[in-house]
Amino acid sequence: MSDNKLTAEVAETKPAPPSRWNVALNEILSGSIIISILSVVLALVVGAILIVLVDPKVATASGYFFARPLDTLGSMWDSASGAYSSLFQGAIYNFRRPDFASGIRPFTETLNFAAPLIVAGLGVALAFRVGLFNIGGRGQMLIAAACAGYVGFAFDLPPVLHLVVAIAAGLAGGALWGGIVGLLKARTGAHEVIVTIMLNYVAFYLVSYMLRTPGLLQAPGSNNPKTAPINPNAILPDLLGTTYNLNFGLIIVIALTVLVWWILSRSSLGFQFRAVGENPNAARVAGIRVDRMYIYAMLLSGGLVGMAGIIQVLGTVPSGFSSGIDAGIGFDAITVALLGRARPWGVFFAGLLFGAFKAGGFAMQAAEGIPIDIVLVVQSLIVLFIAAPPLVRALFRLPTPLGEHKPVSLRKPKLKAVAR
Amino acid sequence: MSVTTTNSNNASSAASGANSPSQVIVREKEAIRSWKAPISFAVFAALGVVLFWILGRDAVSNFRLSTDTDVIQLASVDLPTQLTGIVISLALILITAYSFWLSVVKRPTPIWVVTVYGVLFMVGFLTWAGAGESILVPGLLLGAVGLSIPLIFGAMGGIISERVGVVNIAIEGQLLAGAFVSAVVASVTGNAYLGLIAAMAAGMLVSFVLATFSIKYLVDQVIVGVVLNVLVLGLTSFFYSSILTENSSLLNSPPRFDRIEIPLLSQIPIVGPVLFRQTLIVYLMYIIVAVVAYALVKTKWGLRLRSVGEHPQAADTVGINVYMTRFWNVSLAGAIAGIGGAYFTLGSVGSFQKDMTAGAGFIALAAVIFGRWDPIRALLAALLFGFATNLQSVLAIIGSPVPSEFMLMLPYVVTIIAVAGFVGKVRGPAASGKPYIKG
């Protein structure tokens, strides 16, 4: 490359600073908001394709595609739009109801599903920020649920106190189960991924044992592996009266989101957490007790994930629980934390979105006969697309923001003759 | 002057080395006194003393060593439960003491001591749990191998992928995809071999996504792995519920592989029926483990793979294409894990069920880390998990004295103690999990 050309290029790439309008447009088009929206759209499109693929009506219509092609297209549209409209009506607002009060009920269901997802997601996200991967959500939820549930049905305390004691017991259980991981990691260097996976199984079998043993968790006079109903004094109160399922757990979750935000971005502990997460060696040199941070982080993470179990036991199903009480939330929480990019408010909205999918998914299954598993597909695709902005940009031909890595070319580089 | 390497002379040799300039090399060898192994031993020995000795049961435990169809019949062994328990407890205490002594003189506890200890403890436990009962040893081992096979394939996939520098959390997804696709393809074509090839393709497809996102789009590898697991679970469950259940005779009734008996080898007592009366997939597993274990350290392929995983920049400098090496080896890892998935359908159960891998991929991941990213150690770890899982089902049949939930818990508790005690701070491949950006 000759010098003239080089200077010409420099002059080209550094013209007068771009106008503010251009900068703003570039930021909107390449920023994370539009990427997030486009990711959701893309995932929904893929979901629609899958729904259409397996619909028997579409298959029948495509049998005479060449005779009447519009029939196929029409049934495809019916299939996809029917699915998504029932998803929406199951998650946000049901237009078939006469008044607003009953039409908005699906949205309260969404909030109800979202509350444990958010708080468990916060726990996983907090561990992420310290560089720990907490796959132990299931175990932490089960132990917390068992502790809170036991206090909830076996004790007899005055109204508010009972609820507080039950929640405290659950938090202690979850924190203990997470804290074991932190302690082992700090003291012996045991890999947290292994230990959390193993503790999931330990917790599951421990709770299963207690559920079928009279005097521990099993309901008196019963042979089923199920607990007695929770004492009314320990049940999370309804927020909007008895017509809605929404309970006080949502308020706790919002408060905890603020608390986690404050811990991570405003407190000295959070600063140390993030320092360890960025680079544990540098943090150690800077005088941060890395080992202690691991323990504290796992205690907090376990407690937060445990809160999801507490909400399940004391709020969602207060009529007694069995070993399936975690309902897969411990694993969903990982996806929620990833979608929220391990930021407290990001997790909050990711949890809301996933709660909506869960509420709507059940409605869709009931109304259209579409397996709820499609929700898993759409959720995971959303996270996948959001995690890879270059892919979404390439699909929609959006500009690449300055200062970001271009995707790596996997093709073999061609040998260039370099004149020296 | 001779080079001194012994630990006690370290300081003096260093000092004398400073005095005499003729000495060129001083090999500093830091001896670390580790108490993890003896303490773990002591915990298990105490457990052994309590269970086998103090809570010992006065009965006879019977071990049957061969099945009726074996050519060489071994007599069954009768062990007096209480006496065996006492002898084994004493042996455990002796080994613990030996391990303490090794730690006092700053020597590590060798792996064979751990193995002997583990086997002794297992014999003691089986004797105690099987008091007054009869245990069929080949049956116990056969079930254990059967449960280990998908774990071993998954672990091999995990090792190749991580040694080349891409964290593979997606083992679960690769297994599940392999199981699903192999069931469907084998059912439609009526050919189990085509099903096996399709399973490899399916595992590879999952790997393509993992590789593309983590290498090309620089997405965090853990995120891609976790999400891929959910995606594959969602896709397979969706198609299972919507298509497979309605047309199960057409789409979900694959032929299974036949057991192939290897002449002579299958007649070896105890080992023969367990290892050499198996399906094609199991023999494939022996070959793959041997090849991976050898090739990883002895061939050009293995050297390149490890160098890309440890220090991609250095590998790039000497002309290895980091991206392509990573991409194709991650794909290979997916294909191997896919075979493990095919074992679920074509090797054991037959038809595909929703979420039929049920966390096996995560156990395989644990085996990778437990085995310190080494194929042979990971194989042993996977066998341990398989054995422990099968042990509880055998004990459930003969009626174990402890609640079955605690038996089910045992393998996981042992793993935690082992990871905390013996494995300790494991160091994975240095560049594993880090995207490589050329520049």
Side-chain angles (χ1 to χ4, degrees):
Chain A
M1 193 182 282
S2 68
D3 280 350
N4 286 341
K5 218 176 162 188
L6 193 77
T7 45
E9 238 185 47
V10 168
E12 241 173 43
T13 50
K14 283 195 175 176
S19 73
R20 283 173 66 188
W21 169 246
N22 267 345
V23 171
L25 189 71
N26 195 19
E27 262 176 17
I28 292 171
L29 281 181
S30 55
S32 63
I33 299 166
I34 196 101
I35 293 286
S36 304
I37 294 170
L38 288 176
S39 301
V40 174
V41 171
L42 263 181
L44 287 174
V45 168
V46 176
I49 293 172
L50 286 174
I51 291 170
V52 168
L53 269 181
V54 302
D55 191 342
K57 277 182 226 137
V58 176
T60 329
S62 63
Y64 51 89
F65 178 77
F66 290 105
R68 284 157 67 189
L70 282 181
D71 268 19
T72 311
L73 296 178
S75 64
M76 279 177 163
W77 171 253
D78 286 349
S79 172
S81 64
Y84 282 141
S85 82
S86 66
L87 183 81
F88 181 83
Q89 302 204 14
I92 313 285
Y93 191 87
N94 193 345
F95 296 108
R96 270 169 269 171
R97 298 278 171 217
D99 55 338
F100 180 79
S102 57
I104 200 69
R105 195 166 184 275
F107 185 66
T108 62
E109 285 298 320
T110 292
L111 291 178
N112 213 20
F113 278 114
L117 281 173
I118 293 168
V119 74
L122 285 174
V124 175
L126 189 128
F128 266 137
R129 296 294 288 274
V130 196
L132 297 169
F133 190 28
N134 181 4
I135 323 187
R138 189 185 183 200
Q140 289 147 20
M141 275 184 71
L142 280 172
I143 296 293
C147 294
Y150 184 75
V151 173
F153 67 74
F155 286 28
D156 203 12
L157 295 169
V160 178
L161 183 68
H162 198 169
L163 182 61
V164 171
V165 173
I167 291 178
L171 285 178
L176 170 80
W177 216 244
I180 294 174
V181 181
L183 187 71
L184 286 179
K185 169 130 187 133
R187 285 287 148 83
T188 68
H191 203 293
E192 83 275 5
V193 169
I194 301 191
V195 180
T196 47
I197 293 173
M198 297 299 143
L199 281 178
N200 278 347
Y201 290 98
V202 174
F204 176 75
Y205 292 122
L206 190 65
V207 171
S208 303
Y209 168 73
M210 292 195 291
L211 278 169
R212 70 171 182 84
T213 309
L216 288 173
L217 284 178
Q218 196 176 42
S222 160
N223 280 326
N224 297 329
K226 198 181 170 196
T227 64
I230 304 295
N231 197 319
N233 286 348
I235 293 178
L236 287 165
D238 284 331
L239 271 186
L240 299 171
T242 46
T243 39
Y244 300 104
N245 277 330
L246 202 60
N247 61 50
F248 192 70
L250 184 70
I251 305 294
I252 299 179
V253 168
I254 293 172
L256 284 175
T257 312
V258 176
L259 178 72
V260 171
W261 169 80
W262 184 84
I263 289 177
L264 280 177
S265 52
R266 290 291 180 273
S267 74
S268 132
L269 183 71
F271 176 75
Q272 300 183 48
F273 276 171
R274 284 181 289 134
V276 173
E278 293 287 328
N279 187 338
N281 294 325
R284 187 176 291 115
V285 172
I288 295 173
R289 301 282 298 264
V290 176
D291 291 358
R292 280 197 191 169
M293 289 308 126
Y294 284 148
I295 299 175
Y296 294 156
M298 280 313 294
L299 279 172
L300 279 174
S301 175
L304 283 167
V305 178
M307 191 65 216
I310 300 168
I311 292 175
Q312 285 286 95
V313 168
L314 302 182
T316 315
V317 268
S319 55
F321 64 93
S322 59
S323 58
I325 188 71
D326 62 301
I329 293 169
F331 280 102
D332 287 349
I334 302 172
T335 347
V336 170
L338 292 177
L339 181 58
R341 303 197 167 178
R343 302 291 188 279
W345 289 105
V347 170
F348 186 83
F349 289 109
L352 274 185
L353 182 68
F354 277 29
F357 275 126
K358 225 172 184 176
F362 283 113
M364 187 169 71
Q365 190 169 25
E368 304 281 317
I370 295 161
I372 193 168
D373 310 298
I374 191 73
V375 165
L376 285 181
V377 177
V378 173
Q379 285 176 348
S380 52
L381 284 176
I382 292 175
V383 180
L384 208 53
F385 289 136
I386 285 185
L391 176 71
V392 179
R393 272 191 224 110
L395 284 172
F396 288 96
R397 308 255 179 264
L398 295 177
T400 309
L402 293 169
E404 187 164 320
H405 287 297
K406 291 215 167 132
V408 168
S409 170
L410 289 181
R411 259 169 266 139
K412 276 186 184 148
K414 288 198 185 83
L415 281 179
K416 282 178 226 149
V418 183
R420 299 238 161 178
Chain B
M1 189 176 172
S2 68
V3 180
T4 326
T5 52
T6 42
N7 312 309
S8 50
N9 293 342
N10 235 349
S12 62
S13 74
S16 63
N19 290 338
S20 58
S22 63
Q23 187 175 10
V24 200
I25 311 157
V26 177
R27 276 171 62 192
E28 294 261 0
K29 198 173 166 196
E30 183 84 18
I32 300 157
R33 183 183 283 166
S34 169
W35 292 105
K36 282 177 188 167
I39 289 172
S40 311
F41 277 163
V43 170
F44 280 106
L47 189 69
V49 168
V50 170
L51 276 185
F52 313 152
W53 195 339
I54 300 171
L55 292 176
R57 306 193 297 177
D58 194 17
V60 173
S61 312
N62 177 262
F63 290 97
R64 278 179 289 149
L65 298 180
S66 49
T67 54
D68 299 335
T69 53
D70 289 355
V71 173
I72 305 167
Q73 288 284 334
L74 295 182
S76 63
V77 182
D78 281 326
L79 293 176
T81 306
Q82 183 114 43
L83 185 67
T84 315
I86 292 171
V87 170
I88 284 180
S89 305
L90 288 174
L92 295 183
I93 292 168
L94 277 178
I95 296 179
T96 309
Y98 175 63
S99 176
F100 267 104
W101 177 76
L102 284 177
S103 288
V104 169
V105 298
K106 292 187 175 178
R107 274 161 56 189
T109 306
I111 193 89
W112 66 266
V113 175
V114 181
T115 315
V116 168
Y117 188 94
V119 171
L120 269 178
F121 187 86
M122 244 17 267
V123 172
F125 184 79
L126 279 175
T127 313
W128 175 74
E133 297 285 344
S134 173
I135 293 175
L136 180 64
V137 176
L140 178 67
L141 295 178
L142 191 65
V145 170
L147 288 168
S148 311
I149 285 159
L151 304 181
I152 296 169
F153 278 111
M156 291 305 130
I159 287 172
I160 292 177
S161 183
E162 303 215 352
R163 291 295 279 265
V164 84
V166 177
V167 170
N168 192 356
I169 309 258
I171 301 174
E172 173 86 2
Q174 291 160 346
L175 288 175
L176 198 58
F180 177 81
V181 173
S182 68
V184 173
V185 170
S187 306
V188 171
T189 61
N191 187 333
Y193 295 97
L194 284 180
L196 186 65
I197 291 167
M200 293 171 71
M204 214 162 174
L205 202 64
V206 177
S207 269
F208 279 164
V209 181
L210 173 68
T212 309
F213 274 83
S214 58
I215 301 168
K216 187 177 170 72
Y217 293 114
L218 312 175
V219 184
D220 189 297
Q221 297 164 1
V222 173
I223 296 182
V224 188
V226 170
V227 171
L228 274 178
N229 288 338
V230 182
L231 180 63
V232 174
L233 176 65
L235 279 175
T236 53
S237 308
F238 177 71
F239 285 121
Y240 173 77
S241 315
S242 57
I243 300 182
L244 256 57
T245 41
E246 286 166 21
N247 313 305
S248 70
S249 59
L250 174 68
L251 294 175
N252 198 11
S253 47
R256 278 157 52 177
F257 280 111
D258 296 325
R259 286 190 187 278
I260 306 168
E261 227 176 280
I262 294 189
L264 289 177
L265 285 177
S266 64
Q267 303 303 336
I268 304 170
I270 301 178
V271 183
V274 174
L275 296 182
F276 301 108
R277 215 175 278 171
Q278 290 282 12
T279 58
L280 175 81
I281 297 180
V282 180
Y283 298 126
L284 212 54
M285 183 267 284
Y286 300 153
I287 297 169
I288 286 175
V289 172
V291 167
V292 170
Y294 174 80
L296 211 51
V297 284
K298 296 283 184 194
T299 63
K300 194 168 87 180
W301 167 76
L303 182 65
R304 290 189 167 185
L305 185 152
R306 286 180 291 127
S307 64
V308 166
E310 293 288 347
H311 202 315
Q313 199 163 15
D316 198 359
T317 315
V318 297
I320 300 170
N321 187 333
V322 174
Y323 303 131
M324 293 316 273
T325 311
R326 285 194 169 173
F327 188 88
W328 287 113
N329 281 304
V330 172
S331 307
L332 174 71
I336 292 176
I339 306 175
Y343 181 78
F344 280 101
T345 48
L346 308 179
S348 63
V349 181
S351 59
F352 178 82
Q353 264 113 46
K354 203 171 167 175
D355 193 18
M356 76 184 308
T357 49
F362 288 105
I363 302 283
L365 182 68
V368 171
I369 301 172
F370 197 1
R372 300 187 209 173
W373 291 268
D374 172 75
I376 300 296
R377 281 174 203 255
L379 168 83
L380 294 175
L383 282 172
L384 177 74
F385 289 131
F387 180 77
T389 314
N390 192 47
L391 179 67
Q392 66 79 23
S393 53
V394 168
L395 290 180
I397 295 166
I398 64 169
S400 117
V402 266
S404 63
E405 284 87 358
F406 287 95
M407 292 304 309
L408 284 161
M409 221 186 270
L410 193 69
Y412 307 112
V413 175
V414 168
T415 308
I416 293 172
I417 295 173
V419 166
F422 297 118
V423 182
K425 275 202 174 58
V426 286
R427 199 193 66 89
S432 190
K434 291 176 193 139
Y436 178 63
I437 302 157
K438 198 170 182 160

